[in-house]
Amino acid sequence: MSGTQASTVVALPQEIWWLVSQEFTSRRDFLSLFNLARVNRSMAKLALPLLYSIHELSPASTGDTAIVDTKKWAVLWRSILASSLGGAMYSYCLWIKSLSLGNLHSLLEDLARDQYKDIRTWFFGAPLERFHILQSRASNVATRRNRALMDIESIIFEVANQITDFIKTSATEHDKTVGLTSLEGYHLPTARLPRWVSRLSLLTSLAVRDGSVLNSTIAEAIRENCPHFRELVCHYCVGPDVDDDLAGFLSSLSPNTLQSFTIMSANRVGAITHAALGRHSSSLSQLSLYVEDSAVAGLPFLSDCTNLVDLTLDVCGTVPPLWEQTHKEEVRQIASWLQQCTSLKKLSVINLPSTLSILAEVLKVPGIRLTDLEITMQTIQEDTSAFSSAMATQSDLKTFIFRSRDGWFGGSEFIHAICQCTKLRKLDIVTQMLKIGDFYKVTDTMKDVEEFAFDIDSDEPIGDECVYALGTMHQLKTLTINATTAFTYQGLLALFENLGSDPLGSHQGLSIHIMRQVGTQKFSQAQVKKLNAALSKQLGGKMEITYDADPDELNESDFSD
């Protein structure tokens, strides 16, 4: 920052910069807060607490493993740890809102490598020597340099214990509330979790790698010490007793306090956990479940959870064919449950048996007005007309994503239903083979779509005539074309010029992905460069293009043969 800029900063009232800092924080803008903190000591005192409150968004934490990023990442964590020992200028660890132990775990994995040995030595220098815990001789695996390996899990446990204890002690001494609201980690042990959460009175969110570590004892610690707890995320839940243990956790929380529950992948959760979620039926508004094939029949046990606003049912792709034929009652009960969810706004169903027949019943309920609908199916073996008719009533939809392997669905009835949803801003039907007439109907009707992904069923590659149709979409910002195309250089330039002439700038930042341009219509490198330059100049956008039967690649394969 120049001297003139710094003077301007000083000249403005502190209250203004406080509001600016708050805005940067609400936007999760780590870099702007970082730059503000570097201006002077006064600005540092203003910006640093807010910066550390979103420390997990640091580019060093979210970037790749380049050494420069790892060093910045290490600086961030070292400052947090040193402050918990009283060895830093500021009490950084009192400012963090999220204790992301999984983030620290990734850093330690980097530091364990020989290429980062200098950073490792610096990181564990005074006053952090106590955290440099090595594996015991019995468990240690010898390295080529006979160097003892770091015991990452023990380091994580020591860090979590130190930080949570320091935060709790500081809050008690100064008669303040604990600021940390979120705890996340790869390996949060059952034996230690009750002590850690009991120190975090404002804990609202817990994210664990393996949900099998959760049980009623941990929930009781949360119930007694964390009155604001409302969100649980499990990456997976494995183990023979996980359904009982997780149900025990949910049942031991204060009733109707959990608002958000997520299981991302493989699990052994079923009807017992589904039924236990009913204890939070009044509060639960967000539910995202990866459902194993053995647990699909247990979905009706969720029937008490009817206040959902955001629901994802991601069913394992190994459900037996014709499952719905032998489970007709369960299909009926799932449909009946979803029909009662009249607060639902966002719905995502992936590989759910009888998806179309269930949604045909759900979408026609007058009280259900979705804003987001995502459907993924392996194959389509059902009548599509009832679904299309029901979907046509969902005129509040802003996002619609439809994926299936069949490549063609519903014909003109389906397109007619889409065109009734005039509030759509994102339309992704990239796996569907539209008839050319249906494509023109969509572009002519859906003028306000901002993100559009499509395919076209045509004997011949589509050309510049489709470019002109796309140019009439007034709000277009992201375009993905999976159809076989034969666009010309001049045609694309005309599209950019047309969109760039919009006086409202509605297409600023336009991103174009042309996925199957015919190899015989391949642009030269100079043309691609000029196209991107024109797109960048006029709209601040970019274009990516790949080719079917790329002649250059075919020639390379000829040489390799």
Side-chain angles (χ1 to χ4, degrees), residues 210-212 234-239 242 246 263 265-269:
D210 185 356
S212 67
C234 305
H235 287 251
Y236 56 85
C237 299
V238 297
V242 69
L246 190 54
I263 301 179
S265 61
N267 62 82
R268 294 295 178 267
V269 166

Side-chain angles (χ1 to χ4, degrees), residues 62-73:
T62 58
D64 56 32
T65 55
I67 290 179
V68 63
D69 288 327
T70 300
K71 179 61 182 290
K72 292 178 180 178
W73 197 359

